[in-house]
Amino acid sequence: MNNLHIKRITAVTEVFPDGQKCTGVELSYDCIFKEEMVTREDFEVQNRTVLSASVRPGKGEGGCTVYLALSPDDRDAATYLPPGPPSEGGMAHVIPARVRVAQIHNLTAEDGSRIPEAPCDENDAVRNFLVDEFIQGEFEGLAYNLFVPRNYDAAKKYPLVQFIHDASVCSDEVLCTLAQGVGALVWMTEEAQAKQECFVLAPQFAPPTIVEDNGWVDERLETEKRLLDKIVRDYSIDPSRLYTTGQSMGCMSSMVLNLRYPNLFAASFFVAGQWDERQFRGSGLQNKNFWFLNSQGDAKAFPGMNQILVVLEREGAKVAREVWRADEFQETYRKKLEKLAATGANMIYTPYEITTVADGWHSGGGEHHVTTWKHAYGIEAVREWMFSKKL
C-alpha cells in the first residue's frame, strides 16, 4: 500500500433492479478517526463520484474503517455486464469490483498523530452485499446458488423459493443470476428474513435457453427439478411450502414445471412470460395459487397471459384482475391486494399500466418486457401472498 496506514481496501457491491454495482469502499486504517475528522473531500476515487465519508469501528483488528459511499450512477459503477446484441453473441459477465483510492489531504487521528496524504492504492478485497451469502454448487452439470437461512435450525421446517432467470442471463458464470437483478435477493434480505425465513434456490443455466416460445423445453429443466428435490431432501425444508418464480424464460420454465408437476408448488409468481394456453386445458391447475404480472406494453407476455387465464377460468379458476401502476407505494400495493384477495380468488392478475413501465414502442414492446421485472420483485405484497399459501 502507498498509504502505510491503510491495512486493507475493500470494494463493496450491491445489486439493484438494473444490476450489480460497486457503491462503496472500505478503508481499514491502523488508527482511529473521529467522525468529524474525515470528509469526502479528503479522498479521491478514480473515475468515481464520492458521495460521503463516514467512520466505522474496526473489525476486530484495532483501528477503524473509513467508508466512502460511491454513486451508483457513475459510468464505471456496473459490475454486471449484460450480453451484447444477438448479432454479436457473447454471454453476460460479472466482473470483480475495482477501485483506485487516494487520500488527497493530510488527516489527524484521534491520538493526534498525522496521517499524510498518499497516492492511489487499488482494492485488495471485495465484499458483495447479499450475494456473498449464497452457497455455490453444481448438480449433474447444472450450476446453482443456494441461500440457507442465517439462523438455520435443522429442527425447524423452512419454506423454499426458487428463482429462474431470463434468457439474457444464460452464462457459464454462476453468479450472473444473482448479479443481474433482485429476483433472487429480495427473499433473503435481513428485512425479508425477519418476516419469513426461507431458503432461496437460484440455478444458473449456461447457453442455450432452456425453453422457447414454440414450446421446446430443454432436458436441463428436469435436471433443475431433480436439483430442487435434492435440496429438499438435504435440508429441513417443508415440501408443502415450495414456491417458484421467474422472469421471461424463468417465467415460462416455472409454468412448465407446474404443468408437469401440478402438486409441487404451493404458489407461483409468473413475471413477464407466456406459454401455449392450450396446454393448460385439462391440466388440473385451475385450483392452484398463481400470480401473473406483466406490462400492458409487452407484445408477447400481455396477450399470452391473458389467453392462459381465459383457459384457466373456463376450467374453474377464480381470477381477480386489476391494472396496477409500477410506481406505487408498498402500502398501496398491500391495500390493493387485500381487496383482490377478499374476492376469494386463487389467481391474481395485475398487468402494469403501460405508461408506468417504459416509454414508447421503439422496440416492439421490448423495453416493457425487460423493465417489468425491475419493478415486479420490489412488491412486498407478492411475497406476503406467496408465503400465506400451503399445499
Side-chain angles (χ1 to χ4, degrees):
M1 292 288 182
N2 291 315
N3 192 323
L4 300 179
H5 292 276
I6 293 180
K7 298 178 290 183
R8 183 181 300 108
I9 300 177
T10 303
V12 180
T13 72
E14 58 183 306
V15 180
F16 295 80
D18 61 348
Q20 187 183 67
K21 301 177 183 182
C22 178
T23 57
V25 188
E26 296 174 342
L27 306 174
S28 299
Y29 277 87
D30 64 2
C31 57
I32 296 176
F33 297 111
K34 290 183 179 179
E35 187 74 36
E36 64 271 16
M37 291 176 171
V38 297
T39 69
R40 65 186 178 92
E41 287 81 13
D42 294 320
F43 301 91
E44 189 173 83
V45 181
Q46 195 172 84
N47 298 324
R48 299 301 306 274
T49 304
V50 180
L51 299 177
S52 64
S54 57
V55 178
R56 301 175 180 181
K59 297 181 178 180
E61 303 174 359
C64 71
T65 297
V66 173
Y67 182 78
L68 306 179
L70 306 178
S71 173
D73 298 324
D74 290 339
R75 184 186 63 182
D76 293 341
T79 55
Y80 171 78
L81 303 181
S87 59
E88 297 178 9
M91 294 184 294
H93 292 285
V94 181
I95 59 174
R98 291 284 180 262
V99 290
R100 289 181 56 79
V101 188
Q103 179 191 312
I104 59 176
H105 295 148
N106 296 330
L107 298 175
T108 303
E110 189 177 49
D111 62 5
S113 59
R114 179 175 174 273
I115 312 300
E117 63 182 79
C120 280
D121 284 309
E122 189 168 308
N123 64 293
D124 53 359
V126 177
R127 180 167 65 85
N128 301 297
F129 179 60
L130 297 181
V131 170
D132 286 344
E133 296 190 65
F134 280 80
I135 300 168
Q136 281 70 51
E138 185 175 300
F139 175 78
E140 296 182 11
L142 175 62
Y144 67 89
N145 303 274
L146 178 68
F147 172 76
V148 179
R150 297 175 183 90
N151 300 310
Y152 175 65
D153 179 356
K156 295 169 55 178
K157 286 288 188 181
Y158 296 83
L160 178 146
V161 178
Q162 169 183 271
F163 170 77
I164 303 179
H165 61 77
D166 63 271
S168 74
V169 192
C170 287
S171 172
D172 56 11
E173 296 180 19
V174 67
L175 296 180
C176 279
T177 185
L178 303 181
Q180 185 227 14
V182 298
L185 303 181
V186 293
W187 315 90
M188 51 76 64
T189 66
E190 289 192 9
E191 296 80 6
Q193 289 281 306
K195 294 179 179 178
Q196 176 60 73
E197 289 184 300
C198 70
F199 282 74
V200 182
L201 175 62
Q204 176 66 59
F205 292 97
T209 59
I210 57 169
V211 295
E212 293 287 351
D213 292 345
N214 61 9
W216 175 82
V217 181
D218 189 279
E219 62 184 12
R220 290 174 294 162
L221 189 58
E222 285 301 315
T223 303
E224 198 281 332
K225 165 60 168 58
R226 292 192 295 274
L227 166 62
L228 175 60
D229 292 340
K230 181 181 185 300
I231 298 297
V232 173
R233 290 194 306 268
D234 289 351
Y235 292 91
S236 185
I237 294 172
D238 185 349
S240 71
R241 298 191 69 199
L242 304 180
Y243 309 95
T244 190
T245 185
Q247 57 206 33
S248 193
M249 182 188 83
C251 172
M252 295 191 290
S253 299
S254 290
M255 288 180 176
V256 172
L257 287 171
N258 270 280
L259 286 163
R260 291 181 175 181
Y261 304 98
N263 297 314
L264 181 60
F265 300 110
S268 302
F269 181 36
F270 301 130
V271 179
Q274 70 288 325
W275 200 244
D276 184 348
E277 77 277 4
R278 292 170 295 183
Q279 293 195 26
F280 288 83
R281 295 172 186 162
S283 63
L285 295 177
Q286 65 273 10
N287 295 317
K288 299 296 291 184
N289 299 303
F290 291 161
W291 188 317
F292 296 80
L293 190 149
N294 56 47
S295 167
Q296 289 180 320
D298 190 324
K300 289 184 178 179
F302 182 55
M305 284 187 174
N306 277 298
Q307 290 168 337
I308 290 170
L309 282 161
V310 167
V311 170
L312 288 170
E313 267 185 314
R314 288 174 178 169
E315 300 277 312
K318 187 165 186 180
V319 181
R321 296 174 172 84
E322 186 174 40
V323 176
W324 284 12
R325 294 180 58 87
D327 53 3
E328 298 280 18
F329 292 111
Q330 295 296 339
E331 190 55 34
T332 301
Y333 286 132
R334 192 169 284 109
K335 288 179 179 177
K336 286 177 177 289
L337 172 59
E338 288 175 0
K339 183 177 116 180
L340 294 175
T343 66
N346 59 299
M347 296 190 185
I348 307 291
Y349 181 34
T350 55
Y352 279 143
E353 201 280 314
I354 186 170
T355 62
T356 68
V357 180
D359 295 327
W361 193 259
H362 31 274
S363 68
E367 285 92 348
H368 291 270
H369 181 65
V370 301
T371 306
T372 299
W373 53 79
K374 295 177 183 179
H375 298 285
Y377 287 103
I379 304 176
E380 293 175 6
V382 172
R383 302 196 288 277
E384 294 166 4
W385 173 86
M386 284 185 71
F387 287 129
S388 73
K389 308 305 179 183
K390 186 175 182 178
L391 288 177

